[in-house]
Each structure stands twice: as structure tokens, then as C-alpha cells.
Amino acid sequence: MTTTLPDELLRFPIGRAQLPPTPLTPAGRAPYLQQLAELPGQVRAAAQAAGPRLEQPYRPGGWTGRQVIHHLADTHLNLYARFRLALTEDNPTVRPFDEAAWAELPDVAITPIEVSLSLLESLHARWVSLLQQLTPDQWQRTFYHPRYDTTLTLDQALVQYAWHGQHHLAHLLGLGER
Ligand code: NI
């Protein structure tokens, strides 16, 4: 058990996602919206602080900082689309993707991180702009995730996806601290 602990802490520096009871109130939602709004700037600052260490893995055998940044852009493109699908279709089934394989595609090693940093900035601006307009009923719309065989409300997805950003931000901040 003790040998697995450090890897768990390196993998999950902020712990695993905790889903609060939903539906959320507007005040309960606010911190998660703020996390999504602030993430691109925080990732940019963490990337600058890490400098050349972005080419190193954030844990033994893990992704490099560069891969983490491109992964955030790849994943959040998908997550943003899930919100739009859930708002326009009746409990749509969303499309899982092989995130480890995506991180090995040949563009990841050569595309400047600036491309994904600006993509994240634009994407989160659209995403947060959408979320700020949702009605209480829309927050309870759902999608079905086949990999986990679970139906999520948009409230639950908000909490999960805000966590995803903070989770990888912590990996990048760890690189800068070394
Ligand atoms: Ni991830």
C-alpha cells in the first residue's frame, strides 16, 4: 500500500473529483464557473513558470508538461461539445475518446504550446459565456456517458470538468516548483 501512495499523490495532487449534491444553486455554481474562467490564464502562467521543465514528465512515466497542455485543449474541446449536445438534444450519448492515444499523435510533440494556450483561452471564453446564460432547467439537462454507464446533469458535468482543469493545473504547477 505504501508504495502506491506517492504515485497516487503525484497522479492526483488535488485528490479525485468530489461531486456535491445537485442541483446546485447559482451561488454553489459560481466557484466552478470561476475556475473554468480563470483556467486558461493560470495554465499560461504555470507554463511560463515551468519553462524548459515543460518537456519533462510531471511524474515518473507520466505525460510531459507539453502533453498536459495539449491534452487540456483536446479534452476541453470535447467537454464543451458535450454541453452543446446536451442543450440541443434529448439525453445524447457522448463520444468517449482514447486520451492516451490522442496525446501520442504526432502533432503533440511539435506544436508550440502557445497554439493550445490560445485555443484554451478562446474555447473557455465561449464555454463560460454559454454557461453564464443557462436557465435552472437547462442546468438539469443531461447526457449519457457510455464508458461509465452514467447519465450526468450539466450541474454534475460542470463540477467534474472544473475539477479536470484544476487537476492538470496542479501537475503543471508541480513542474514549476521543482
Ligand atoms: Ni485529463
Short mmCIF file of all heavy atoms in Angstrom, two decimals, residues 6-17 39 42-51 53-72 75-76 99 162-178:
data_model
loop_
_atom_site.label_atom_id
_atom_site.label_comp_id
_atom_site.label_asym_id
_atom_site.label_seq_id
_atom_site.Cartn_x
_atom_site.Cartn_y
_atom_site.Cartn_z
N PRO A 6 2.70 7.36 -3.07
CA PRO A 6 3.30 8.50 -3.76
C PRO A 6 2.79 8.65 -5.19
O PRO A 6 2.53 9.77 -5.64
CB PRO A 6 4.79 8.18 -3.74
CG PRO A 6 4.97 7.26 -2.57
CD PRO A 6 3.70 6.44 -2.54
N ASP A 7 2.62 7.54 -5.91
CA ASP A 7 2.14 7.65 -7.28
C ASP A 7 0.72 8.22 -7.31
O ASP A 7 0.39 9.05 -8.15
CB ASP A 7 2.18 6.28 -7.98
CG ASP A 7 1.84 6.40 -9.46
OD1 ASP A 7 2.57 7.13 -10.15
OD2 ASP A 7 0.85 5.79 -9.89
N GLU A 8 -0.12 7.77 -6.37
CA GLU A 8 -1.48 8.31 -6.28
C GLU A 8 -1.43 9.83 -6.05
O GLU A 8 -2.17 10.59 -6.67
CB GLU A 8 -2.25 7.62 -5.16
CG GLU A 8 -3.62 8.21 -4.83
CD GLU A 8 -4.72 7.90 -5.84
OE1 GLU A 8 -4.47 7.08 -6.76
OE2 GLU A 8 -5.82 8.48 -5.71
N LEU A 9 -0.52 10.25 -5.17
CA LEU A 9 -0.43 11.68 -4.88
C LEU A 9 0.12 12.46 -6.08
O LEU A 9 -0.28 13.60 -6.31
CB LEU A 9 0.46 11.92 -3.65
CG LEU A 9 -0.19 11.55 -2.32
CD1 LEU A 9 0.81 11.70 -1.18
CD2 LEU A 9 -1.43 12.40 -2.06
N LEU A 10 1.06 11.85 -6.80
CA LEU A 10 1.59 12.52 -7.99
C LEU A 10 0.55 12.59 -9.09
O LEU A 10 0.43 13.59 -9.79
CB LEU A 10 2.83 11.78 -8.50
CG LEU A 10 4.10 11.92 -7.65
CD1 LEU A 10 5.16 10.94 -8.14
CD2 LEU A 10 4.61 13.34 -7.70
N ARG A 11 -0.22 11.51 -9.22
CA ARG A 11 -1.26 11.49 -10.26
C ARG A 11 -2.41 12.42 -9.91
O ARG A 11 -2.99 13.04 -10.79
CB ARG A 11 -1.85 10.08 -10.37
CG ARG A 11 -1.11 9.12 -11.24
CD ARG A 11 -1.81 7.76 -11.15
NE ARG A 11 -0.98 6.70 -11.68
CZ ARG A 11 -1.11 6.20 -12.92
NH1 ARG A 11 -2.02 6.66 -13.73
NH2 ARG A 11 -0.31 5.25 -13.33
N PHE A 12 -2.79 12.41 -8.63
CA PHE A 12 -3.99 13.16 -8.20
C PHE A 12 -3.61 14.16 -7.11
O PHE A 12 -4.00 13.99 -5.95
CB PHE A 12 -5.07 12.19 -7.71
CG PHE A 12 -5.60 11.31 -8.81
CD1 PHE A 12 -5.10 10.02 -8.98
CD2 PHE A 12 -6.58 11.77 -9.68
CE1 PHE A 12 -5.57 9.21 -10.01
CE2 PHE A 12 -7.05 10.96 -10.71
CZ PHE A 12 -6.54 9.69 -10.88
N PRO A 13 -2.85 15.19 -7.48
CA PRO A 13 -2.36 16.13 -6.45
C PRO A 13 -3.47 16.86 -5.73
O PRO A 13 -3.28 17.29 -4.59
CB PRO A 13 -1.47 17.10 -7.25
CG PRO A 13 -1.85 16.92 -8.68
CD PRO A 13 -2.33 15.50 -8.82
N ILE A 14 -4.65 17.02 -6.34
CA ILE A 14 -5.75 17.68 -5.62
C ILE A 14 -6.82 16.65 -5.24
O ILE A 14 -7.95 17.02 -4.91
CB ILE A 14 -6.38 18.83 -6.43
CG1 ILE A 14 -7.00 18.34 -7.74
CG2 ILE A 14 -5.35 19.93 -6.70
CD1 ILE A 14 -7.94 19.36 -8.41
N GLY A 15 -6.48 15.37 -5.29
CA GLY A 15 -7.46 14.33 -4.98
C GLY A 15 -8.35 14.05 -6.17
O GLY A 15 -8.17 14.63 -7.24
N ARG A 16 -9.27 13.14 -5.97
CA ARG A 16 -10.20 12.79 -7.06
C ARG A 16 -11.41 13.70 -6.99
O ARG A 16 -11.67 14.34 -5.97
CB ARG A 16 -10.60 11.33 -6.93
CG ARG A 16 -9.37 10.42 -6.94
CD ARG A 16 -9.68 9.06 -7.50
NE ARG A 16 -8.52 8.18 -7.42
CZ ARG A 16 -8.11 7.42 -8.43
NH1 ARG A 16 -8.74 7.43 -9.58
NH2 ARG A 16 -7.06 6.63 -8.29
N ALA A 17 -12.15 13.76 -8.11
CA ALA A 17 -13.31 14.65 -8.17
C ALA A 17 -14.35 14.26 -7.13
O ALA A 17 -14.62 13.07 -6.94
CB ALA A 17 -13.91 14.62 -9.56
N LEU A 39 -9.00 29.31 -15.69
CA LEU A 39 -8.03 28.25 -16.00
C LEU A 39 -7.03 28.63 -17.11
O LEU A 39 -5.83 28.43 -16.93
CB LEU A 39 -8.76 26.95 -16.37
CG LEU A 39 -7.78 25.80 -16.60
CD1 LEU A 39 -7.24 25.25 -15.28
CD2 LEU A 39 -8.41 24.67 -17.41
N GLN A 42 -4.29 30.75 -15.82
CA GLN A 42 -3.46 30.05 -14.83
C GLN A 42 -2.55 29.03 -15.49
O GLN A 42 -1.40 28.84 -15.07
CB GLN A 42 -4.37 29.37 -13.80
CG GLN A 42 -5.12 30.37 -12.94
CD GLN A 42 -6.20 29.71 -12.09
OE1 GLN A 42 -6.86 28.77 -12.53
NE2 GLN A 42 -6.40 30.21 -10.88
N VAL A 43 -3.06 28.37 -16.54
CA VAL A 43 -2.24 27.40 -17.26
C VAL A 43 -1.09 28.14 -17.96
O VAL A 43 0.06 27.69 -17.95
CB VAL A 43 -3.09 26.60 -18.27
CG1 VAL A 43 -2.22 25.81 -19.24
CG2 VAL A 43 -4.03 25.66 -17.51
N ARG A 44 -1.41 29.29 -18.54
CA ARG A 44 -0.36 30.08 -19.20
C ARG A 44 0.72 30.48 -18.20
O ARG A 44 1.92 30.34 -18.47
CB ARG A 44 -0.98 31.31 -19.87
CG ARG A 44 0.01 32.19 -20.57
CD ARG A 44 -0.66 33.41 -21.20
NE ARG A 44 -1.46 33.07 -22.37
CZ ARG A 44 -0.94 32.85 -23.58
NH1 ARG A 44 0.37 32.91 -23.77
NH2 ARG A 44 -1.72 32.56 -24.60
N ALA A 45 0.31 30.95 -17.04
CA ALA A 45 1.29 31.37 -16.02
C ALA A 45 2.12 30.18 -15.54
O ALA A 45 3.34 30.29 -15.35
CB ALA A 45 0.57 32.03 -14.85
N ALA A 46 1.46 29.03 -15.37
CA ALA A 46 2.18 27.84 -14.91
C ALA A 46 3.18 27.38 -15.97
O ALA A 46 4.29 26.93 -15.64
CB ALA A 46 1.19 26.72 -14.58
N ALA A 47 2.80 27.51 -17.24
CA ALA A 47 3.70 27.12 -18.33
C ALA A 47 4.93 28.03 -18.36
O ALA A 47 6.06 27.57 -18.54
CB ALA A 47 2.96 27.17 -19.67
N GLN A 48 4.69 29.31 -18.14
CA GLN A 48 5.83 30.24 -18.12
C GLN A 48 6.76 29.94 -16.95
O GLN A 48 7.98 29.98 -17.08
CB GLN A 48 5.32 31.69 -18.05
CG GLN A 48 4.85 32.18 -19.42
CD GLN A 48 4.01 33.46 -19.35
OE1 GLN A 48 3.67 33.93 -18.26
NE2 GLN A 48 3.67 34.00 -20.51
N ALA A 49 6.16 29.61 -15.79
CA ALA A 49 6.98 29.31 -14.61
C ALA A 49 7.78 28.02 -14.81
O ALA A 49 8.91 27.91 -14.33
CB ALA A 49 6.09 29.20 -13.37
N ALA A 50 7.20 27.06 -15.51
CA ALA A 50 7.88 25.78 -15.70
C ALA A 50 9.01 25.89 -16.72
O ALA A 50 10.02 25.17 -16.62
CB ALA A 50 6.88 24.71 -16.13
N GLY A 51 8.86 26.78 -17.72
CA GLY A 51 9.93 26.97 -18.71
C GLY A 51 10.32 25.66 -19.36
O GLY A 51 9.47 24.88 -19.78
N ARG A 53 11.21 22.94 -18.17
CA ARG A 53 10.74 21.72 -17.49
C ARG A 53 9.42 21.21 -18.09
O ARG A 53 8.97 20.12 -17.76
CB ARG A 53 10.58 21.98 -15.99
CG ARG A 53 11.92 22.07 -15.26
CD ARG A 53 11.75 22.12 -13.75
NE ARG A 53 11.01 23.29 -13.31
CZ ARG A 53 11.57 24.48 -13.10
NH1 ARG A 53 12.86 24.67 -13.29
NH2 ARG A 53 10.82 25.50 -12.70
N LEU A 54 8.81 22.00 -18.99
CA LEU A 54 7.60 21.53 -19.67
C LEU A 54 7.86 20.28 -20.50
O LEU A 54 6.93 19.54 -20.83
CB LEU A 54 7.06 22.62 -20.62
CG LEU A 54 6.23 23.72 -19.98
CD1 LEU A 54 5.81 24.71 -21.03
CD2 LEU A 54 5.02 23.14 -19.26
N GLU A 55 9.11 20.03 -20.85
CA GLU A 55 9.44 18.85 -21.64
C GLU A 55 9.69 17.63 -20.75
O GLU A 55 10.01 16.55 -21.24
CB GLU A 55 10.65 19.10 -22.53
CG GLU A 55 10.51 20.33 -23.45
CD GLU A 55 9.31 20.25 -24.40
OE1 GLU A 55 8.89 19.13 -24.75
OE2 GLU A 55 8.78 21.31 -24.78
N GLN A 56 9.56 17.80 -19.44
CA GLN A 56 9.76 16.69 -18.51
C GLN A 56 8.41 16.15 -18.06
O GLN A 56 7.44 16.90 -17.99
CB GLN A 56 10.55 17.15 -17.28
CG GLN A 56 11.95 17.64 -17.61
CD GLN A 56 12.64 18.25 -16.41
OE1 GLN A 56 12.15 18.18 -15.29
NE2 GLN A 56 13.79 18.86 -16.66
N PRO A 57 8.36 14.85 -17.71
CA PRO A 57 7.10 14.31 -17.20
C PRO A 57 6.77 14.87 -15.82
O PRO A 57 7.67 15.15 -15.03
CB PRO A 57 7.34 12.80 -17.13
CG PRO A 57 8.81 12.61 -17.22
CD PRO A 57 9.41 13.84 -17.82
N TYR A 58 5.48 15.03 -15.54
CA TYR A 58 5.07 15.57 -14.23
C TYR A 58 5.17 14.52 -13.14
O TYR A 58 5.14 14.84 -11.95
CB TYR A 58 3.65 16.17 -14.31
CG TYR A 58 2.53 15.17 -14.34
CD1 TYR A 58 1.98 14.65 -13.16
CD2 TYR A 58 2.03 14.70 -15.56
CE1 TYR A 58 0.97 13.71 -13.20
CE2 TYR A 58 1.01 13.77 -15.60
CZ TYR A 58 0.49 13.27 -14.41
OH TYR A 58 -0.51 12.33 -14.46
N ARG A 59 5.28 13.24 -13.55
CA ARG A 59 5.55 12.15 -12.60
C ARG A 59 6.28 11.08 -13.41
O ARG A 59 6.19 11.08 -14.64
CB ARG A 59 4.25 11.58 -12.00
CG ARG A 59 3.37 10.91 -13.02
CD ARG A 59 2.13 10.26 -12.40
NE ARG A 59 1.25 9.79 -13.46
CZ ARG A 59 1.36 8.62 -14.09
NH1 ARG A 59 2.31 7.77 -13.74
NH2 ARG A 59 0.54 8.29 -15.07
N PRO A 60 6.98 10.15 -12.74
CA PRO A 60 7.69 9.11 -13.49
C PRO A 60 6.72 8.34 -14.39
O PRO A 60 5.69 7.85 -13.93
CB PRO A 60 8.27 8.21 -12.39
CG PRO A 60 8.39 9.11 -11.20
CD PRO A 60 7.24 10.08 -11.30
N GLY A 61 7.03 8.30 -15.68
CA GLY A 61 6.18 7.58 -16.62
C GLY A 61 4.95 8.36 -17.06
O GLY A 61 4.15 7.85 -17.83
N GLY A 62 4.79 9.59 -16.57
CA GLY A 62 3.60 10.37 -16.90
C GLY A 62 3.83 11.26 -18.11
O GLY A 62 4.89 11.26 -18.73
N TRP A 63 2.78 12.00 -18.46
CA TRP A 63 2.88 12.94 -19.56
C TRP A 63 3.87 14.06 -19.23
O TRP A 63 4.05 14.43 -18.07
CB TRP A 63 1.51 13.60 -19.81
CG TRP A 63 0.55 12.74 -20.56
CD1 TRP A 63 0.83 11.74 -21.44
CD2 TRP A 63 -0.89 12.85 -20.52
NE1 TRP A 63 -0.34 11.21 -21.93
CE2 TRP A 63 -1.40 11.87 -21.38
CE3 TRP A 63 -1.77 13.67 -19.82
CZ2 TRP A 63 -2.77 11.70 -21.58
CZ3 TRP A 63 -3.13 13.50 -20.01
CH2 TRP A 63 -3.62 12.52 -20.89
N THR A 64 4.47 14.63 -20.30
CA THR A 64 5.24 15.85 -20.11
C THR A 64 4.28 17.03 -19.91
O THR A 64 3.08 16.93 -20.22
CB THR A 64 6.11 16.14 -21.34
OG1 THR A 64 5.24 16.37 -22.46
CG2 THR A 64 7.05 14.99 -21.65
N GLY A 65 4.82 18.13 -19.42
CA GLY A 65 4.00 19.34 -19.29
C GLY A 65 3.40 19.73 -20.63
O GLY A 65 2.24 20.16 -20.72
N ARG A 66 4.19 19.60 -21.69
CA ARG A 66 3.68 19.90 -23.04
C ARG A 66 2.47 19.03 -23.36
O ARG A 66 1.44 19.53 -23.86
CB ARG A 66 4.79 19.64 -24.06
CG ARG A 66 4.29 19.49 -25.51
CD ARG A 66 5.35 18.89 -26.41
NE ARG A 66 6.48 19.79 -26.52
CZ ARG A 66 6.51 20.83 -27.37
NH1 ARG A 66 5.51 21.07 -28.18
NH2 ARG A 66 7.55 21.60 -27.45
N GLN A 67 2.57 17.74 -23.09
CA GLN A 67 1.44 16.84 -23.37
C GLN A 67 0.22 17.20 -22.52
O GLN A 67 -0.92 17.11 -22.99
CB GLN A 67 1.84 15.38 -23.11
CG GLN A 67 2.72 14.79 -24.20
CD GLN A 67 3.17 13.37 -23.87
OE1 GLN A 67 3.75 13.16 -22.80
NE2 GLN A 67 2.90 12.43 -24.74
N VAL A 68 0.46 17.62 -21.28
CA VAL A 68 -0.66 18.01 -20.41
C VAL A 68 -1.40 19.20 -21.03
O VAL A 68 -2.64 19.23 -21.06
CB VAL A 68 -0.16 18.34 -18.99
CG1 VAL A 68 -1.25 19.03 -18.16
CG2 VAL A 68 0.32 17.07 -18.27
N ILE A 69 -0.66 20.18 -21.53
CA ILE A 69 -1.31 21.39 -22.08
C ILE A 69 -2.09 21.04 -23.36
O ILE A 69 -3.25 21.46 -23.52
CB ILE A 69 -0.25 22.48 -22.34
CG1 ILE A 69 0.25 23.01 -21.00
CG2 ILE A 69 -0.82 23.61 -23.20
CD1 ILE A 69 1.46 23.91 -21.09
N HIS A 70 -1.51 20.25 -24.23
CA HIS A 70 -2.26 19.85 -25.44
C HIS A 70 -3.45 18.96 -25.06
O HIS A 70 -4.51 19.04 -25.69
CB HIS A 70 -1.34 19.15 -26.44
CG HIS A 70 -0.33 20.09 -27.07
ND1 HIS A 70 -0.67 21.32 -27.60
CD2 HIS A 70 1.00 19.96 -27.28
CE1 HIS A 70 0.41 21.91 -28.11
NE2 HIS A 70 1.44 21.10 -27.92
N HIS A 71 -3.28 18.13 -24.02
CA HIS A 71 -4.39 17.29 -23.55
C HIS A 71 -5.55 18.16 -23.03
O HIS A 71 -6.72 17.85 -23.27
CB HIS A 71 -3.88 16.36 -22.43
CG HIS A 71 -4.95 15.76 -21.59
ND1 HIS A 71 -5.76 14.73 -22.02
CD2 HIS A 71 -5.39 16.06 -20.32
CE1 HIS A 71 -6.62 14.40 -21.06
NE2 HIS A 71 -6.42 15.21 -20.02
N LEU A 72 -5.23 19.23 -22.32
CA LEU A 72 -6.30 20.12 -21.83
C LEU A 72 -7.11 20.67 -23.00
O LEU A 72 -8.34 20.69 -22.97
CB LEU A 72 -5.71 21.26 -21.00
CG LEU A 72 -5.42 20.93 -19.53
CD1 LEU A 72 -4.58 22.04 -18.90
CD2 LEU A 72 -6.71 20.73 -18.75
N THR A 75 -9.15 17.75 -24.63
CA THR A 75 -10.25 17.27 -23.80
C THR A 75 -11.34 18.32 -23.66
O THR A 75 -12.53 18.01 -23.80
CB THR A 75 -9.72 16.88 -22.40
OG1 THR A 75 -8.71 15.89 -22.58
CG2 THR A 75 -10.83 16.31 -21.54
N HIS A 76 -10.95 19.56 -23.42
CA HIS A 76 -11.97 20.58 -23.19
C HIS A 76 -12.76 20.89 -24.46
O HIS A 76 -13.92 21.27 -24.37
CB HIS A 76 -11.35 21.81 -22.52
CG HIS A 76 -10.96 21.53 -21.09
ND1 HIS A 76 -10.70 22.49 -20.15
CD2 HIS A 76 -10.80 20.33 -20.44
CE1 HIS A 76 -10.40 21.92 -18.98
NE2 HIS A 76 -10.43 20.62 -19.15
N GLU A 99 -7.77 9.13 -24.63
CA GLU A 99 -6.96 10.33 -24.38
C GLU A 99 -5.46 10.01 -24.40
O GLU A 99 -4.66 10.86 -24.82
CB GLU A 99 -7.36 11.00 -23.07
CG GLU A 99 -7.21 10.11 -21.84
CD GLU A 99 -7.59 10.83 -20.56
OE1 GLU A 99 -8.43 11.74 -20.61
OE2 GLU A 99 -7.03 10.48 -19.52
N ALA A 162 -14.67 21.21 -14.14
CA ALA A 162 -13.85 22.21 -13.43
C ALA A 162 -12.73 21.50 -12.69
O ALA A 162 -11.57 21.96 -12.68
CB ALA A 162 -14.72 23.01 -12.46
N TRP A 163 -13.06 20.36 -12.07
CA TRP A 163 -12.03 19.56 -11.39
C TRP A 163 -10.93 19.15 -12.40
O TRP A 163 -9.74 19.21 -12.07
CB TRP A 163 -12.65 18.29 -10.77
CG TRP A 163 -11.61 17.35 -10.22
CD1 TRP A 163 -11.04 17.38 -8.98
CD2 TRP A 163 -10.97 16.29 -10.93
NE1 TRP A 163 -10.09 16.39 -8.88
CE2 TRP A 163 -10.01 15.71 -10.06
CE3 TRP A 163 -11.10 15.76 -12.23
CZ2 TRP A 163 -9.21 14.64 -10.43
CZ3 TRP A 163 -10.29 14.69 -12.60
CH2 TRP A 163 -9.36 14.14 -11.70
N HIS A 164 -11.32 18.75 -13.60
CA HIS A 164 -10.34 18.30 -14.57
C HIS A 164 -9.29 19.38 -14.86
O HIS A 164 -8.10 19.11 -14.95
CB HIS A 164 -11.04 17.87 -15.88
CG HIS A 164 -10.08 17.32 -16.88
ND1 HIS A 164 -9.63 18.05 -17.96
CD2 HIS A 164 -9.45 16.12 -16.95
CE1 HIS A 164 -8.78 17.30 -18.65
NE2 HIS A 164 -8.65 16.13 -18.06
N GLY A 165 -9.75 20.61 -14.97
CA GLY A 165 -8.82 21.71 -15.20
C GLY A 165 -7.89 21.92 -14.02
O GLY A 165 -6.66 22.07 -14.19
N GLN A 166 -8.44 21.90 -12.81
CA GLN A 166 -7.62 22.12 -11.61
C GLN A 166 -6.62 20.97 -11.42
O GLN A 166 -5.48 21.19 -10.98
CB GLN A 166 -8.52 22.23 -10.36
CG GLN A 166 -9.50 23.40 -10.41
CD GLN A 166 -8.81 24.73 -10.62
OE1 GLN A 166 -7.95 25.11 -9.83
NE2 GLN A 166 -9.16 25.42 -11.68
N HIS A 167 -7.06 19.77 -11.73
CA HIS A 167 -6.23 18.57 -11.63
C HIS A 167 -4.96 18.71 -12.48
O HIS A 167 -3.84 18.53 -11.99
CB HIS A 167 -7.11 17.40 -12.09
CG HIS A 167 -6.43 16.11 -12.39
ND1 HIS A 167 -5.86 15.33 -11.40
CD2 HIS A 167 -6.27 15.43 -13.55
CE1 HIS A 167 -5.36 14.23 -11.96
NE2 HIS A 167 -5.59 14.27 -13.25
N HIS A 168 -5.13 19.09 -13.75
CA HIS A 168 -3.95 19.21 -14.61
C HIS A 168 -3.17 20.49 -14.33
O HIS A 168 -1.94 20.51 -14.50
CB HIS A 168 -4.36 19.12 -16.07
CG HIS A 168 -4.75 17.73 -16.47
ND1 HIS A 168 -3.87 16.67 -16.39
CD2 HIS A 168 -5.92 17.21 -16.93
CE1 HIS A 168 -4.48 15.56 -16.80
NE2 HIS A 168 -5.73 15.86 -17.13
N LEU A 169 -3.84 21.55 -13.89
CA LEU A 169 -3.11 22.75 -13.47
C LEU A 169 -2.14 22.40 -12.35
O LEU A 169 -0.99 22.87 -12.34
CB LEU A 169 -4.11 23.83 -13.02
CG LEU A 169 -3.49 25.10 -12.44
CD1 LEU A 169 -2.63 25.82 -13.48
CD2 LEU A 169 -4.60 26.03 -11.92
N ALA A 170 -2.58 21.56 -11.42
CA ALA A 170 -1.70 21.16 -10.30
C ALA A 170 -0.48 20.40 -10.83
O ALA A 170 0.63 20.55 -10.29
CB ALA A 170 -2.48 20.32 -9.30
N HIS A 171 -0.65 19.59 -11.87
CA HIS A 171 0.51 18.91 -12.47
C HIS A 171 1.52 19.94 -12.99
O HIS A 171 2.72 19.80 -12.79
CB HIS A 171 0.07 18.01 -13.63
CG HIS A 171 -0.80 16.86 -13.21
ND1 HIS A 171 -1.70 16.27 -14.06
CD2 HIS A 171 -0.90 16.19 -12.03
CE1 HIS A 171 -2.31 15.28 -13.43
NE2 HIS A 171 -1.85 15.22 -12.19
N LEU A 172 1.00 20.96 -13.68
CA LEU A 172 1.89 21.97 -14.26
C LEU A 172 2.57 22.81 -13.17
O LEU A 172 3.75 23.14 -13.28
CB LEU A 172 1.10 22.87 -15.21
CG LEU A 172 0.54 22.15 -16.45
CD1 LEU A 172 -0.42 23.07 -17.19
CD2 LEU A 172 1.66 21.70 -17.37
N LEU A 173 1.83 23.14 -12.12
CA LEU A 173 2.41 23.92 -11.03
C LEU A 173 3.50 23.10 -10.35
O LEU A 173 4.52 23.65 -9.92
CB LEU A 173 1.32 24.31 -10.02
CG LEU A 173 0.32 25.34 -10.56
CD1 LEU A 173 -0.84 25.52 -9.57
CD2 LEU A 173 1.00 26.69 -10.82
N GLY A 174 3.32 21.78 -10.28
CA GLY A 174 4.34 20.92 -9.69
C GLY A 174 5.64 20.95 -10.48
O GLY A 174 6.74 20.93 -9.90
N LEU A 175 5.52 21.04 -11.81
CA LEU A 175 6.74 21.14 -12.65
C LEU A 175 7.52 22.41 -12.33
O LEU A 175 8.74 22.41 -12.27
CB LEU A 175 6.34 21.20 -14.12
CG LEU A 175 5.99 19.91 -14.85
CD1 LEU A 175 5.51 20.26 -16.24
CD2 LEU A 175 7.21 18.99 -14.92
N GLY A 176 6.78 23.51 -12.14
CA GLY A 176 7.43 24.80 -11.89
C GLY A 176 8.10 24.87 -10.53
O GLY A 176 9.01 25.67 -10.33
N GLU A 177 7.64 24.01 -9.61
CA GLU A 177 8.19 24.06 -8.25
C GLU A 177 9.48 23.28 -8.10
O GLU A 177 10.15 23.40 -7.09
CB GLU A 177 7.15 23.49 -7.26
CG GLU A 177 6.03 24.47 -6.94
CD GLU A 177 4.84 23.79 -6.29
OE1 GLU A 177 4.92 22.58 -6.01
OE2 GLU A 177 3.84 24.49 -6.09
N ARG A 178 9.77 22.44 -9.08
CA ARG A 178 10.95 21.58 -8.92
C ARG A 178 12.25 22.36 -8.91
O ARG A 178 12.35 23.36 -9.58
CB ARG A 178 10.98 20.54 -10.04
CG ARG A 178 10.34 19.26 -9.58
CD ARG A 178 10.44 18.19 -10.63
NE ARG A 178 9.17 17.48 -10.70
CZ ARG A 178 8.79 16.75 -11.75
NH1 ARG A 178 9.56 16.68 -12.80
NH2 ARG A 178 7.65 16.13 -11.74
#
